[in-house]
Amino acid sequence: MPTYRFFLFLFGLFAAWLFYLFYVGWFGIFLIAVLLCILAVDLVYSIPGIALCRVEAVSPLYAQRGFPAAVTVKTVLPAFLRVGSVKLKYRLRNVFYDEETSGKTPACVSGGKAVEIKLPTDRCGCVKAELKRVWVGDLLGFFVLPKKGPGEVAVTVLPAGSPPRILGDVKSLSDDMTNLKVKRGGGFAEDHDLKEYQEGDPVRSIHWKLSAKMNKAIVREALVPDRRGVSVVFDLESQPEETLDSLKWLCAELLAESVDVNISWTVKDGGKIVRDINGMRDFDRAMGEVLSHHREDIVFVGRASEGRSGAAVQGRQVRPL
């Protein structure tokens, strides 16, 4: 695609031709030859650089709402080649809110400082950045050629986390401690049960004094509280940002109390999805799945997973199920 500089060059070449016609002497031929040589050298040196020039885009996997984040774009070119200019046209799309913005920016050639495309992090969501057009120009700026851009990159903007209004203490969301279960692997426990020895029981758990009285082997079986954990559901219909903040805070508090927690949601035409949260890394990955859908596709179902206590997060409020 020719630029305005190319048309100025053609005008200069035409002027040199007119000079040759109306001026008797060698300088007219010399001027035309110099201009044609300049064009030939530019084409010979620029076209390999344009052909081998490559554009790369790198982005973080996650960003926190309210904090700056950017997609870094850089050009890769062999050291012995040069190009004139690189221009980019990009599109940013927040899948969660179905919002889209676009813009243009120049990019530095190889060896220059990388260009950063700032991402909108004022709201949560999966922001997908795509370079729609890439144009690479020759050294003298006579023409630009389109290039294939890198693939789409995605950044998940995570909620910041803030305490909601909660009914009771966080611990109250977990099951009561009256139910007991056998401690896996045995060992010491404050509560225990007695049973007759069976093959496979550890010898160290035999209650020798009681066994001597009853003339049979009696085993002390360690018991621990049976916490079935908490299943958290959430409603993104009315206050999605507040709900996600409350959800993050609640999961962090439950994990701090060593409560087994999972979060569950339902996607239209996709069924119910349940993700165990063993740490905040798991929470970030689960948010990546949630925010990669449009918020209207996340259906609120006020029901906990079977065998667990439940909590529902709606805006700034958390209520037990």
Side-chain angles (χ1 to χ4, degrees):
M1 181 187 301
T3 66
Y4 75 94
R5 289 188 181 183
F6 180 72
F7 293 107
L8 289 177
F9 176 82
L10 290 181
F11 178 77
L13 189 62
F14 177 72
W17 180 70
L18 290 179
F19 182 79
Y20 165 72
L21 290 179
F22 296 102
Y23 180 81
V24 178
W26 60 271
F27 189 73
I29 292 291
F30 175 76
L31 188 58
I32 293 176
V34 169
L35 291 175
L36 292 176
C37 286
I38 290 175
L39 179 61
V41 171
D42 179 62
L43 291 174
V44 170
Y45 196 65
S46 297
I47 288 179
I50 295 175
L52 296 177
C53 183
R54 195 160 41 87
V55 178
E56 295 181 349
V58 181
S59 68
L61 287 177
Y62 304 104
Q64 186 170 311
R65 193 185 74 233
F67 284 80
V71 175
T72 302
V73 181
K74 62 179 181 178
T75 56
V76 180
L77 188 67
F80 59 90
L81 294 176
R82 292 291 183 271
V83 294
S85 63
V86 179
K87 295 183 179 180
L88 311 170
K89 182 179 181 180
Y90 60 87
R91 181 184 69 175
L92 304 177
R93 184 166 65 95
N94 189 323
V95 180
F96 188 64
Y97 287 102
D98 195 20
E99 296 175 343
E100 184 176 312
T101 58
S102 60
K104 294 181 180 180
T105 182
C108 294
V109 296
S110 182
K113 185 178 179 182
V115 173
E116 290 189 346
I117 300 175
K118 293 184 179 180
L119 299 174
T121 58
D122 54 324
R123 296 204 288 180
C124 295
C126 178
V127 180
K128 293 187 176 181
E130 181 184 7
L131 298 182
K132 297 290 291 180
R133 297 284 188 274
V134 178
W135 294 279
V136 183
D138 65 307
L139 285 172
L140 298 180
F142 288 161
F143 60 91
V144 291
L145 295 178
K147 291 283 293 183
K148 184 179 180 180
E152 194 176 61
V153 294
V155 181
T156 302
V157 182
L158 299 169
S162 58
R165 295 189 298 270
I166 188 170
L167 302 178
D169 188 23
V170 173
K171 295 179 181 179
S172 67
L173 293 174
S174 180
D175 275 344
D176 59 59
M177 307 294 288
T178 56
N179 298 325
L180 299 175
K181 65 179 180 180
V182 178
K183 183 180 180 181
R184 186 181 300 175
F188 174 78
E190 293 183 0
D191 298 294
H192 62 273
D193 194 9
L194 299 175
K195 70 169 189 175
E196 190 173 347
Y197 178 83
Q198 296 179 356
E199 185 178 354
D201 290 336
V203 177
R204 67 176 182 276
S205 63
I206 296 178
H207 195 306
W208 296 105
K209 187 178 293 186
L210 187 59
S211 298
K213 289 182 179 180
M214 301 187 65
N215 291 324
K216 59 181 179 180
I218 302 298
V219 174
R220 186 197 302 265
E221 194 171 46
L223 300 177
V224 292
D226 182 13
R227 270 184 163 174
R228 294 182 294 172
V230 177
S231 180
V232 183
V233 296
F234 49 93
D235 183 10
L236 297 175
E237 185 176 354
S238 58
Q239 297 175 300
E241 298 295 328
E242 290 80 359
T243 298
L244 292 172
D245 279 349
S246 301
L247 178 64
K248 182 173 184 177
W249 179 89
L250 179 61
C251 289
E253 290 296 310
L254 290 172
L255 290 172
E257 294 292 336
S258 300
V259 177
D260 184 22
V261 58
N262 68 34
I263 59 177
S264 61
W265 66 94
T266 301
V267 181
K268 286 182 180 178
D269 303 325
K272 185 176 182 180
I273 302 174
V274 180
R275 292 290 179 261
D276 292 327
I277 308 299
N278 299 314
M280 295 311 293
R281 292 276 187 181
D282 293 334
F283 178 83
D284 293 346
R285 284 190 283 267
M287 285 295 98
E289 294 185 62
V290 172
L291 298 173
S292 63
H293 297 88
H294 190 272
R295 66 189 183 103
E296 294 181 359
D297 292 335
I298 306 296
V299 181
F300 174 66
V301 179
R303 183 174 65 253
S305 297
E306 295 181 2
R308 284 175 173 258
S309 302
V313 181
Q314 295 173 295
R316 292 296 185 194
Q317 181 173 336
V318 174
R319 60 180 177 84
L321 291 176

